[in-house]
Amino acid sequence: MTATPPTFLPPTFLNVDGSRIAVRHSAGSTPGIVWLGGYKSDMLGTKAETLSDWTAKEGRAFLRHDYSGHGESGGAFADGTISTWLSQSLAVFRKFARGDQILVGSSMGAWIALRMVQELRKAGDANVVGLVLLAPAPDFTSELVEPVLTEAQKRDLAEKGFFAEPSDYSAEPYIYTRALIEDGRANRVMTGPIDTHCPVHILQGLADPDVPSSHALKLVSLLPADDVTLSLIPDGDHRLSRPQDLDMLVRAVGDMAGRGK
């Protein structure tokens, strides 16, 4: 009988403030890798699966989860906010991660990663030793969504509490709620220098239609210059899921893991 691939084993569930959060964790060497997905993404996407395969070959620990309203986790997507998903990510990290860890955040996951470092440091936890951020979208609600709201969208937010936008990545529309946008203002990280206390490697596509490269450049300007690597991918889109993008992701994470503290 052949063994079932780890990915297809049922996830573990962790109750966080009444939400049933789906978690997949593989033990292994440190620094471990922690995957943080994007807005409306799940932990079985191409990039997460690529890292799962790579960490398995390396014998390295790998941790990932679905935010509430995403993937295999419980809860309604429209009920989520940055604070909610941050709280869940911290709970999963504290429950399962042991020793040095590298946070790998994609799009909104990069925002969650930066906020996690802030909160962990405040609590005296210095186990995050590196960040790899793909098409990072910190503060996207205030920096990328609010400035371009149409009058109709503003009206929907005021009257209905949300507006919907067609998605290029899903048959279902993206939902942006008033609660998400208001909570996003309280979680902003790009208001001044960001001290991560660890090296950062950013991968950004120059053909990204969702998060412009100028956003990544602004983020770099707020990070400690001697600890930051920015890799610009001329024809890279927002997903960064082509074979060459995935190779670059694995190299970036591998290099970061090799740096240690």
Side-chain angles (χ1 to χ4, degrees):
M1 180 183 288
T2 58
T4 304
T7 292
F8 298 106
L9 294 174
T12 298
F13 288 92
L14 180 67
N15 188 296
V16 184
D17 299 324
S19 293
R20 198 163 176 258
I21 302 303
V23 182
R24 283 189 165 83
H25 177 235
S26 303
S29 63
T30 57
I33 309 302
V34 180
W35 171 256
L36 297 158
Y39 193 65
K40 224 164 197 261
S41 299
D42 65 62
M43 64 171 158
L44 297 180
T46 308
K47 294 186 288 293
E49 287 290 87
T50 297
L51 286 177
S52 177
D53 292 343
W54 177 76
T55 52
K57 287 176 193 165
E58 292 274 310
R60 191 174 297 282
F62 186 50
L63 175 62
R64 51 183 160 160
H65 68 285
D66 284 329
Y67 313 118
S68 59
H70 292 67
E72 297 165 291
S73 288
F77 176 78
D79 291 340
T81 63
I82 300 302
S83 291
T84 302
W85 297 326
L86 169 63
S87 175
Q88 294 162 1
S89 301
L90 287 167
V92 168
F93 184 91
R94 287 167 170 150
K95 173 74 173 176
F96 294 97
R98 297 290 179 271
D100 291 349
Q101 303 292 324
I102 293 166
L103 304 185
V104 184
S106 175
S107 193
M108 183 187 77
W111 189 359
I112 300 289
L114 291 166
R115 286 289 291 113
M116 281 180 70
V117 170
Q118 290 178 335
E119 294 302 315
L120 290 167
R121 280 277 168 174
K122 264 194 235 172
D125 185 337
N127 283 341
V128 175
V129 297
L131 295 173
V132 177
L133 309 178
L134 296 87
D139 300 7
F140 78 87
T141 50
S142 55
E143 294 272 332
L144 303 177
V145 175
E146 286 194 82
V148 295
L149 287 175
T150 65
E151 288 307 313
Q153 289 167 340
K154 290 176 183 175
R155 189 167 56 250
D156 282 348
L157 283 172
E159 295 175 1
K160 297 194 289 187
F162 73 93
F163 72 90
E165 277 287 285
S167 167
D168 291 334
Y169 311 109
S170 167
E172 299 203 353
Y174 277 4
I175 300 293
Y176 296 95
T177 65
R178 185 168 60 230
L180 174 74
I181 290 172
E182 290 176 351
D183 179 78
R185 294 180 200 131
N187 280 283
R188 292 179 68 190
V189 294
M190 296 176 68
T191 55
I194 304 168
D195 195 349
T196 60
H197 303 275
C198 65
V200 182
H201 191 159
I202 295 172
L203 306 180
Q204 174 68 44
L206 292 179
D208 186 337
D210 301 305
V211 179
S213 56
S214 58
H215 195 67
L217 292 169
K218 180 175 179 180
L219 176 60
V220 168
S221 75
L222 298 172
L223 291 163
D226 56 338
D227 284 324
V228 178
T229 302
L230 172 63
S231 296
L232 296 173
I233 304 161
D235 54 350
D237 61 10
H238 188 61
R239 281 186 164 181
L240 295 179
S241 291
R242 302 169 304 170
Q244 61 266 41
D245 301 328
L246 298 173
D247 287 345
M248 183 175 280
L249 168 62
V250 168
R251 283 199 307 275
V253 174
D255 289 347
M256 188 69 75
R259 290 179 68 164
K261 280 194 174 178

